[in-house]
Amino acid sequence: MTPMEPTTMNMPVLALRGLTVFPRMNLTFDVERPISIAALERAMEGEQDVFLVTQREISVERPEEKDLYQIGTVSHIRQILRLSSGSARVMVEGRRRARLRRLWQSSPYLQANLEELPEEPPSEARSPRAEALLRQAWSLFSDYAQLSGAVPEEIATAVMDSRDVGQLADFIAQNIPLRHTDKQEILEELAPFVRLRKLNGLLARECSILGFEHEMEGKIRDQLVRTQRDQILRTQIRVLQNELGEEDDEDEVEDYCRKILELNLEEEAEKHLLKEAGKLSRQPYGSAEASVIRNYLDVCLEMPWNKSTRERASVETARKVLEKEHFGLEKVKERILETIAVRQMNPKGKGQILCLVGPPGVGKTSIAISVAKALNRKLARLSLGGVRDEADIRGHRRTYIGSMPGRVIDAIIRGGSMNPLLLLDEIDKLGNDYRGDPASALLEVLDSEQNHAFRDHYMEIPVDLSQVMFITTANTTDTIPQPLLDRMEVIRLSSYTDEEKVEIARRHLLPKQLAEHGLKKSALRVDDGVLRAIIRDYTRESGVRLLERRVAALCRKTDMRLVSGGTKRVTVTEEDLPKFLDCQPYPPALHTEREEVGVVNGLAWTETGGEILEVEAVVCEGTGKLELTGNLGDVIKESAQAALSCIRSRAAVLGVEAEFYKNRDIHVHFPEGAVPKDGPSAGIAVTTAMLSALTDRKIKAGIAMTGEVTLRGRVLAIGGLKEKTMAALRNGIGTVLIPKDNVRDLEEIDQTVRAALKFIPVETIDQVFAAALAPMPEAAREETPVFVPVPREKAEAVLRQ
């Protein structure tokens, strides 16, 4: 006999998430996905039948064939209720099992080719085997209903009345809360006896789980009863003690213990604090030791244990905040955004310790504040300038009277979270004395590999600092110890150009000062030309602090004029600046506008930015002494000695008297003698000044230079070129001589500065002389050899002869 071919059909498919429908069962559920709504609409246009199949993973939004189980239920739609435009509530009735053969359509709704699965009839339905299975199912369901307490009576009655093995398994599986994987296992079983046997196993497991739950609930209930009883008794004791006028020290200790337990600390910290609370209970009332323990516990409980703000690591948000609050500093902003991008990609990664290095007033502290705002972190600032005691960082031990935690722990308490942004300001101003070295104490704090268990001397329990973001600021890295500097990533902030200062004044400083002085925007008019004049003639700085004070002076004078009456608006011009500003403008540098003998404009870098460094040289009758004055350091003195030796080695080529080092004294002076000066970058300036004085040749006007010189006359690279060139432009210099090796650094210089200055790269001291020295007068040419830059090979040949 040929077996019958299985019945196949095409039908819309509705994928269920966490639900399973059994044959001969009714189920109501909500539908929200567009593909499911479309499948229902398609089914309603036909015979109102739809294939309900469960998804393997609930999270899949647009399921494919591999995401669906193979066996589901062909169901008839009984009722649809529209809840909104995008959701509906549907009531279905399961009809028969079916197998999904191929999902041939996935848009706009799922549609598949199905194979109907006829259910196997139970053999020997009245057999002892069937009766045993039924009795076992009734018994287990009765136990389940009793333990659960949430089974409706009509369901329990229907179970007890059922005699069909397969239908009973489907009914129980449909009406008790099982995992959808367990329900699918029951649905896929076609043999009725096997299906009921599997269901009995699931019921036995659920009864065991419910039994454990009831056992745990009973223990918790007994514990609560005992706790409530103890609380009532303690309350009665407290009332009696108050009536008798006795102090209740136990209540204070219990309060401490309760707060400690509520913090959910690590075992070591919790055990230590409970031990301290136990010590407090044994202290006599009013003793000094009890006061120390109370202060200690209060400080430890003030710590924001397990509290943290939700970090908003968004590059776009941070970019908007930085662009809004700061102008310029493009590379600094980009580096900070890279750090935030790393936090965005890996929120649990170890934080970097950034060190912002730059002159005063360029915005180091304000950038750190903006980063805290962009990341939604609490900000706590620690000023380290002048700190000399190690205990300021690590805290004082409790053996001392008036001991307290260190500044790091105090900042976290003030921040109110375990992931604040700590701003360590002026880290280069740390000192040290007999009380210890605070810079060494910071080594553990600023090490991401070991600060997860930082121990303050006062608290004596480990504190996790790994989630804290540290940003330090400094004017220079020279005074920061190398081990501490090695733990930080240095980001350098350079000086502002004049155009950047104009934009900062117009966008930020002027509106801020107008608001602080109670002025409307229309009350004071200051155009960009006036701002440039203030920057050029009344400020000499790398940052904008002095510029802000000058703008504040304009606002004060405006307030006086408005209060005095007679005017409603003040317009400031360049001619009015001496009346508005209570200071004299900086005088123009005369040596930049005229040619002089023995006066060279060098360029220097300081903590406050770039400066013009004058070098003066005179030659007198004497015995060949070299005098150096101007508060000079050892390096710059050695550089002057090298310059003199360089000139002596090529005296014949340069047209200098051969015996000048025997009968001439050379005095080199650096004006502003109270200011310390050091470094090798004034080498070519000193050499040029000496040669100018020896040959009585003038230095060209409007020229400045920087570079280290060697005994052989080579010009070596220097640092701080960006700040030095800004200083040259600020002082009216038009031409700057730089070492050839520093040409690559011109890319770092602002385009405005590059366009305004003429840069002459030099490789040898001969090229410096050719570019800096003015031509000799006609009268002097007859007596003095004409200076001609000589190639290196020819000069060496002359020296050998």
Side-chain angles (χ1 to χ4, degrees):
M1 182 176 179
T2 305
M4 296 180 61
E5 292 292 331
T7 304
T8 60
M9 63 193 81
N10 284 318
M11 191 174 297
V13 177
L14 186 61
L16 302 178
R17 292 193 281 191
L19 294 176
T20 305
V21 180
F22 289 86
R24 300 181 296 277
M25 304 297 162
N26 293 329
L27 185 65
T28 301
F29 54 89
D30 293 340
V31 178
E32 294 182 350
R33 288 187 289 186
I35 58 173
S36 300
I37 296 290
L40 290 176
E41 293 176 349
R42 178 67 183 87
M44 293 300 293
E45 295 174 359
E47 299 178 356
Q48 299 185 354
D49 284 346
V50 65
F51 181 61
L52 302 180
V53 62
T54 306
Q55 291 183 196
R56 297 180 185 273
E57 297 293 337
I58 297 176
S59 60
V60 177
E61 185 65 25
R62 296 191 66 86
E64 300 177 0
E65 185 172 346
K66 63 182 177 59
D67 301 317
L68 303 176
Y69 286 107
Q70 292 298 309
I71 294 179
T73 306
V74 176
S75 304
H76 182 72
I77 301 175
R78 300 287 299 275
Q79 184 179 2
I80 292 181
L81 176 62
R82 286 282 186 179
L83 300 178
S84 64
S85 59
S87 63
R89 181 166 296 169
V90 59
M91 176 187 293
V92 298
E93 177 187 359
R95 293 289 176 87
R96 55 195 177 277
R97 287 175 170 81
R99 185 191 307 275
L100 189 148
R101 298 180 63 182
R102 187 171 67 91
L103 186 69
W104 57 272
Q105 177 177 313
S106 59
S107 179
Y109 57 86
L110 304 179
Q111 188 155 338
N113 181 260
L114 310 176
E115 173 188 340
E116 185 176 352
L117 297 176
E119 185 170 339
E120 298 180 10
S123 60
E124 301 178 0
R126 300 294 181 181
S127 66
R129 177 189 176 196
E131 188 68 24
L133 281 175
L134 290 172
R135 289 183 182 183
Q136 185 183 23
W138 294 333
S139 176
L140 289 171
F141 187 81
S142 177
D143 294 341
Y144 174 84
Q146 183 178 359
L147 290 171
S148 175
V151 178
E153 185 177 352
E154 57 270 17
I155 292 179
T157 303
V159 169
M160 295 303 175
D161 290 342
S162 177
R163 306 287 299 181
D164 188 323
V165 177
Q167 184 178 358
L168 178 62
D170 291 345
F171 184 80
I172 295 177
Q174 183 75 76
N175 289 282
I176 65 173
L178 296 174
R179 292 176 297 186
H180 73 277
T181 53
D182 295 335
K183 290 187 176 183
Q184 183 66 30
E185 184 181 358
I186 299 297
L187 181 66
E188 292 181 355
E189 184 55 59
L190 302 181
F193 285 117
V194 179
R195 189 188 313 157
L196 187 57
R197 189 181 305 114
K198 289 184 177 181
L199 180 70
N200 288 344
L202 295 176
L203 279 176
R205 187 193 68 186
E206 292 296 319
C207 290
S208 178
I209 293 173
L210 289 174
F212 281 121
E213 289 181 357
H214 282 290
E215 182 180 351
M216 287 187 291
E217 288 177 1
K219 290 181 179 179
I220 294 173
R221 192 180 303 108
D222 293 341
Q223 182 66 33
L224 291 175
V225 170
R226 286 196 300 269
T227 303
Q228 188 176 12
R229 177 177 173 274
D230 293 344
Q231 187 67 29
I232 293 173
L233 291 175
R234 292 181 185 278
T235 304
Q236 292 174 347
I237 293 173
R238 191 180 303 113
V239 172
L240 292 175
Q241 287 177 336
N242 291 336
E243 290 293 332
L244 295 173
E246 298 179 358
E247 296 291 341
D248 187 12
D249 293 337
E250 291 295 330
D251 184 56
E252 179 187 26
V253 175
E254 288 180 5
D255 187 47
Y256 277 127
C257 292
R258 177 181 56 81
K259 291 180 179 179
I260 293 169
L261 293 174
E262 288 177 353
L263 293 176
N264 295 323
L265 301 177
E266 293 184 0
E267 182 179 358
E268 179 186 354
E270 184 177 285
K271 183 178 179 180
H272 179 79
L273 294 180
L274 290 175
K275 182 179 178 181
E276 293 294 326
K279 290 181 182 178
L280 179 62
S281 65
R282 296 188 294 271
Q283 298 298 321
Y285 181 79
S287 67
E289 182 66 19
S291 178
V292 172
I293 295 176
R294 286 189 187 93
N295 291 337
Y296 172 74
L297 291 175
D298 288 340
V299 170
C300 291
L301 293 176
E302 284 179 0
M303 280 286 293
W305 304 102
N306 301 322
K307 293 182 181 178
S308 60
T309 56
R310 186 174 182 181
E311 188 176 51
R312 183 179 57 228
S314 170
V315 173
E316 291 304 320
T317 302
R319 190 190 303 276
K320 292 178 182 178
V321 173
L322 291 174
E323 291 295 339
K324 178 181 179 183
E325 299 184 358
H326 297 86
F327 181 82
L329 305 176
E330 298 301 330
K331 291 195 174 182
V332 177
K333 293 178 185 176
E334 193 64 28
R335 179 61 189 85
I336 290 175
L337 291 177
E338 289 173 2
T339 301
I340 296 175
V342 174
R343 298 290 303 174
Q344 185 174 346
M345 295 299 294
N346 185 17
K348 295 183 180 180
K350 295 178 181 178
Q352 294 178 326
I353 292 91
L354 305 179
C355 181
L356 305 179
V357 179
V362 295
K364 300 184 294 296
T365 303
S366 60
I367 280 180
I369 295 173
S370 299
V371 171
K373 184 187 301 183
L375 292 176
N376 192 35
R377 285 179 178 242
K378 298 293 183 68
L379 176 70
R381 179 175 175 269
L382 286 75
S383 181
L384 300 180
V387 173
R388 295 178 175 272
D389 191 354
E390 178 189 352
D392 279 349
I393 305 299
R394 283 190 171 275
H396 303 79
R397 298 193 181 276
R398 283 189 291 155
T399 54
Y400 300 102
I401 297 175
S403 58
M404 62 184 68
R407 295 195 179 200
V408 176
I409 297 298
D410 180 66
I412 292 177
I413 293 174
R414 286 187 284 110
S417 69
M418 294 302 291
N419 65 335
L421 188 149
L422 292 191
L423 173 59
L424 308 182
D425 225 351
E426 308 295 347
I427 196 170
D428 58 326
K429 308 297 190 302
L430 282 172
N432 60 78
D433 57 13
Y434 65 93
R435 292 170 292 185
D437 184 6
S440 299
L442 281 174
L443 293 178
E444 181 183 0
V445 176
L446 298 181
D447 191 342
S448 57
E449 297 294 335
Q450 56 181 316
N451 63 5
H452 62 278
F454 172 71
R455 287 182 181 269
D456 186 88
H457 285 163
Y458 181 81
M459 297 187 66
E460 298 177 344
I461 54 178
V463 178
D464 186 5
L465 301 181
S466 61
Q467 298 302 315
V468 178
M469 183 175 183
F470 293 95
I471 294 182
T472 66
T473 68
N475 296 129
T476 178
T477 58
D478 296 340
T479 57
I480 302 177
Q482 188 60 37
L484 183 59
L485 186 63
D486 185 57
R487 283 163 166 77
M488 303 181 291
E489 183 166 354
V490 176
I491 301 177
R492 297 194 178 274
L493 285 76
S494 58
S495 307
Y496 290 118
T497 64
D498 288 355
E499 289 302 316
E500 288 177 336
K501 290 180 180 180
V502 170
E503 291 294 330
I504 293 171
R506 179 162 50 82
R507 297 185 185 187
H508 301 285
L509 303 183
L510 186 57
K512 176 184 175 182
Q513 292 301 323
L514 288 175
E516 290 184 1
H517 290 79
L519 294 171
K520 296 181 179 179
K521 187 176 180 181
S522 59
L524 175 62
R525 300 194 61 178
V526 181
D527 59 20
D528 290 352
V530 175
L531 293 176
R532 288 190 181 91
I534 296 174
I535 294 167
R536 181 184 65 248
D537 299 333
Y538 292 88
T539 64
R540 293 283 175 88
E541 59 176 346
S542 298
V544 292
R545 285 202 179 115
L546 184 57
L547 176 59
E548 185 173 8
R549 288 197 287 271
R550 297 290 183 255
V551 174
L554 296 180
C555 295
R556 289 197 303 272
K557 296 293 184 182
T558 302
D559 281 341
M560 280 295 297
R561 294 195 179 189
L562 295 179
V563 170
S564 301
T567 182
K568 294 183 179 180
R569 176 185 297 176
V570 175
T571 301
V572 182
T573 62
E574 292 188 37
E575 293 76 14
D576 297 332
L577 286 179
K579 302 176 184 177
F580 280 86
L581 300 179
D582 299 328
C583 62
Q584 293 295 326
Y586 289 103
L590 298 177
H591 58 274
T592 63
E593 301 175 358
R594 63 187 182 189
E595 297 180 348
E596 296 187 48
V597 175
V599 180
V600 178
N601 297 318
L603 295 173
W605 180 90
T606 66
E607 294 181 7
T608 60
E611 295 289 344
I612 288 289
L613 181 66
E614 294 183 34
V615 181
E616 296 180 347
V618 294
V619 178
C620 308
E621 294 290 335
T623 59
K625 293 188 299 183
L626 175 63
E627 189 76 20
L628 302 174
T629 57
N631 197 357
L632 307 180
D634 292 338
V635 176
I636 199 170
K637 289 180 181 179
E638 293 173 356
S639 182
Q641 294 283 356
L644 179 60
S645 299
C646 179
I647 293 176
R648 286 181 58 186
S649 67
R650 55 182 64 202
V653 178
L654 299 176
V656 180
E657 182 184 351
E659 302 292 328
F660 78 93
Y661 61 92
K662 295 181 179 179
N663 53 26
R664 294 284 190 274
D665 287 346
I666 302 177
H667 187 169
V668 179
H669 176 67
F670 291 77
E672 299 185 16
V675 180
K677 308 169 189 71
D678 203 2
S681 62
I684 63 173
V686 174
T687 309
T688 307
M690 287 182 179
L691 182 62
S692 173
L694 288 170
T695 59
D696 201 30
R697 295 182 61 183
K698 294 183 178 181
I699 307 296
K700 293 180 181 179
I703 195 169
M705 61 187 69
T706 179
E708 180 179 355
V709 69
T710 68
L711 292 175
R712 296 287 184 177
R714 291 186 298 120
V715 180
L716 304 184
I718 46 83
L721 184 64
K722 182 176 182 180
E723 287 76 11
K724 291 178 180 179
T725 54
M726 289 183 185
L729 181 61
R730 192 184 307 125
N731 287 272
I733 300 294
T735 304
V736 178
L737 275 63
I738 63 172
K740 188 175 181 180
D741 291 340
N742 283 111
V743 172
R744 61 180 181 272
D745 296 332
L746 293 178
E747 298 297 329
E748 305 292 332
I749 297 176
D750 187 85
Q751 295 299 322
T752 305
V753 179
R754 291 190 63 180
L757 294 177
K758 177 184 178 183
F759 293 96
I760 301 178
V762 291
E763 193 174 6
T764 64
I765 196 66
D766 297 324
Q767 296 173 347
V768 176
F769 296 154
L773 294 174
M776 295 182 62
E778 292 293 335
R781 290 188 181 184
E782 299 176 359
E783 302 176 359
T784 307
V786 179
F787 170 76
V788 178
V790 179
R792 184 186 304 173
E793 295 80 2
K794 186 175 180 180
E796 292 177 353
V798 172
L799 290 175
R800 284 196 299 270
Q801 294 174 359

